[in-house]
Amino acid sequence: MRRYVSFLTVCGAFAISSAIAPLEELFSWNQIDYTWPSLEQRQDAISKGTFAPENNLPLGLEKWNDKLFVTVPRWKSGVGSSLNYISLKQPIDKSSFLIPYPSWEANTIPSNKTDLKPDHIISTFRIKSDVCDRLWVMDTGVDDILGSYNVVASPAIVIFDLKTDTLIKRYELKKDDAKDSSFFANIVVDVDKDNCNDAYAYIPDLGGYGIVIYSLASDDSWRVEHNFFHFDPLQGDLTVGGVNFHWTDGVFGIALSNKLENGHRTAFFHSLASTKEFGVCTSILKNKTAATTPGNYYAFKVLGDKGDDSQTSASDFDPNSEVLFFTQLQKDGVACWNTKKVLAPENVALVAEDGERLVFTNDIKLARDEPYLYILSDRMPEFLYGKLDQSKINYRIFRLNVNEAIKGTPCAG
């Protein structure tokens, strides 16, 4: 306990119970489809194999104003468009087609690298909008990941102006930012509205066990490595939706606390194949010299353990309640933890659970303009290791009122 309090002082104050809140199902699909320019173009894509509906799995989401962004990584060949959105303007169709963003052209794989344009999105897993109305996209640059593994472009951060739907910048990661085993499936943005140029992106490398930091102001990136970024060898055996699999995914989810008195935040992070949560002050990450100095090993702290079978993909921090929400892959749900309390199983609450509709809660995002948590479930283990039944609903997006969700749980007050 003494060590935990000491960490909070450095960077600001900061058996699972259950209080399941009602889920509002917004969208559901047997298969994903898109708003094609024409029916003829869709049929032509199917005949050529550039669109195979059964190979399109939604994975990441983000909400900005009346747009709900949905990513479709190119796990397999035949993905129509990787970066998309759904309009939330009324009326809403539960089986809405995805609209490519910023355009169809930007989501079309170029025939060769010389045809690659700065706004091209080859394959993205997760995205993040910031308080300056920008969308940050981590483009892996790889098509047909599970098949031919076609490297179309270098891994890159692609930033769009959401008000004009135009490209702001494309930044290719440097060679020393990555390893042969690197896989970049997430991006988190640290910025204040009164200084939009002084923005930082934190990109976890789940395969290479590191975090890449990008500074918009200096247009530079650097890589941080630490033991806490590795997977727990005792927590890589998972069973979800009746599918047993073994993963070695390292650092995966990052969520940022409110701004602290010293002007920085706490970065909460975890590996997917782990049940523990860690933290570090962002002053360490944002300082290139400090971040890459081995002497800063002890600046990274163990915050606690979420409990048995609590492996987590995505997490997000609610600035109003200071509650951290995180997916619960083996429990078909979402849980919460009040960051002002010690992280232990008795302080973790399951706030959403459904053995049919929440199989593999792949991503969650808190809305900035309303008290809702958006949740995407997609049965991904069945997609990766088996075959989804295309006659059934496989993919769903929900929203959950965060205030109602934490009421009566250890996450409240």
Side-chain angles (χ1 to χ4, degrees):
M1 178 67 70
R2 185 182 302 275
R3 185 176 178 183
Y4 177 84
V5 172
S6 174
F7 170 59
L8 296 184
T9 302
V10 169
C11 201
F14 99 86
I16 286 185
S17 60
S18 179
I20 307 302
L23 284 168
E24 181 184 358
E25 185 172 309
L26 299 177
F27 302 101
S28 59
W29 301 271
N30 295 29
Q31 291 184 338
I32 291 297
D33 208 338
Y34 306 86
T35 54
W36 295 86
S38 68
L39 181 59
E40 291 75 19
Q41 185 169 331
R42 180 182 185 275
Q43 291 303 119
D44 184 58
I46 291 176
S47 64
K48 292 180 178 177
T50 55
F51 178 50
E54 68 276 10
N55 288 351
N56 290 247
L57 175 130
L59 187 144
L61 76 169
E62 175 67 309
K63 182 180 181 295
W64 177 82
N65 290 357
D66 60 5
K67 286 185 173 70
L68 184 64
F69 287 91
V70 179
T71 68
V72 183
R74 297 185 190 273
W75 281 117
K76 304 176 182 180
S77 62
V79 170
S81 171
S82 189
L83 178 60
N84 316 275
Y85 73 93
I86 303 169
S87 174
L88 296 179
K89 295 177 180 177
Q90 296 296 332
I92 293 177
D93 181 353
K94 288 193 69 174
S95 297
S96 291
F97 290 170
L98 303 187
I99 305 170
Y101 186 90
S103 66
W104 263 111
E105 291 74 19
N107 281 277
T108 301
I109 297 178
S111 56
N112 56 68
K113 291 186 179 182
T114 59
D115 292 334
L116 182 74
K117 296 180 180 179
D119 67 348
H120 256 119
I121 302 297
I122 305 305
S123 180
T124 183
F125 282 70
R126 286 175 180 80
I127 54 181
K128 184 66 178 177
S129 65
D130 67 15
V131 294
C132 301
D133 297 312
R134 300 174 297 202
L135 184 68
W136 296 64
V137 182
M138 182 60 227
D139 183 12
T140 65
V142 181
D143 178 36
D144 195 12
I145 296 168
L146 299 177
S148 62
Y149 202 84
N150 179 26
V151 180
V152 181
S154 300
I157 301 167
V158 188
I159 309 171
F160 293 99
D161 183 332
L162 286 166
K163 290 184 176 180
T164 62
D165 301 328
T166 56
L167 179 73
I168 294 174
K169 187 173 193 61
R170 182 185 189 94
Y171 177 85
E172 291 190 357
L173 298 188
K174 298 185 295 189
K175 288 185 177 180
D176 55 2
D177 288 334
K179 294 184 173 182
D180 290 341
S181 58
S182 289
F183 199 84
F184 302 106
N186 199 4
I187 185 168
V188 177
V189 184
D190 186 0
V191 65
D192 295 319
K193 194 169 186 177
D194 57 354
N195 193 359
C196 292
N197 189 53
D198 188 29
Y200 292 84
Y202 308 133
I203 306 161
D205 179 0
L206 67 90
Y209 310 127
I211 295 178
V212 174
I213 294 90
Y214 168 70
S215 166
L216 180 63
S218 64
D219 196 31
D220 190 19
S221 57
W222 51 92
R223 180 182 177 88
V224 182
E225 296 187 346
H226 197 279
N227 285 4
F228 295 169
F229 298 161
H230 289 249
F231 72 100
D232 183 339
L234 301 179
Q235 300 296 341
D237 179 20
L238 295 90
T239 300
V240 181
V243 179
N244 178 246
F245 53 98
H246 308 99
W247 281 358
T248 58
D249 291 10
V251 60
F252 199 101
I254 300 177
L256 303 177
S257 76
N258 290 327
K259 195 171 183 179
L260 308 170
E261 290 183 1
N262 61 6
H264 302 287
R265 307 176 195 274
T266 297
F268 302 99
F269 67 90
H270 58 263
S271 295
L272 190 149
S274 173
T275 60
K276 289 183 170 57
E277 193 76 20
F278 305 88
V280 64
C281 191
T282 57
S283 62
I284 299 295
L285 301 178
K286 292 189 292 186
N287 184 316
K288 184 175 183 179
T289 302
T292 55
T293 299
N296 279 316
Y297 181 91
Y298 295 104
F300 295 78
K301 305 295 180 180
V302 182
L303 300 184
D305 196 296
K306 298 186 290 289
D308 294 340
D309 300 326
S310 63
Q311 290 90 341
T312 297
S313 55
S315 60
D316 208 355
F317 179 87
D318 178 24
N320 297 314
S321 63
E322 297 187 65
V323 166
L324 187 68
F325 291 90
F326 41 86
T327 63
Q328 292 287 268
L329 301 181
Q330 294 202 94
K331 296 177 181 178
D332 303 326
V334 175
C336 66
W337 163 53
N338 189 320
T339 59
K340 291 173 285 188
K341 300 180 180 181
V342 173
L343 177 56
E346 60 269 21
N347 287 330
V348 174
L350 201 60
V351 296
E353 181 182 27
D354 193 309
E356 174 60 28
R357 299 188 301 161
L358 287 178
V359 176
F360 209 84
T361 46
N362 209 324
D363 200 12
I364 56 173
K365 286 290 174 58
L366 283 154
R368 192 173 292 113
D369 56 350
E370 57 184 11
Y372 287 107
L373 178 73
Y374 285 77
I375 305 166
L376 184 151
S377 65
D378 62 10
R379 296 182 173 271
M380 194 172 79
E382 196 173 345
F383 173 84
L384 295 179
Y385 305 116
K387 188 175 182 180
L388 288 169
D389 184 346
Q390 303 296 328
S391 68
K392 297 181 179 180
I393 295 176
N394 293 304
Y395 319 123
R396 293 178 169 90
I397 294 176
F398 306 87
R399 70 176 183 178
L400 178 70
N401 186 296
V402 294
N403 298 321
E404 292 297 321
I406 66 174
K407 189 180 298 182
T409 76
C411 301

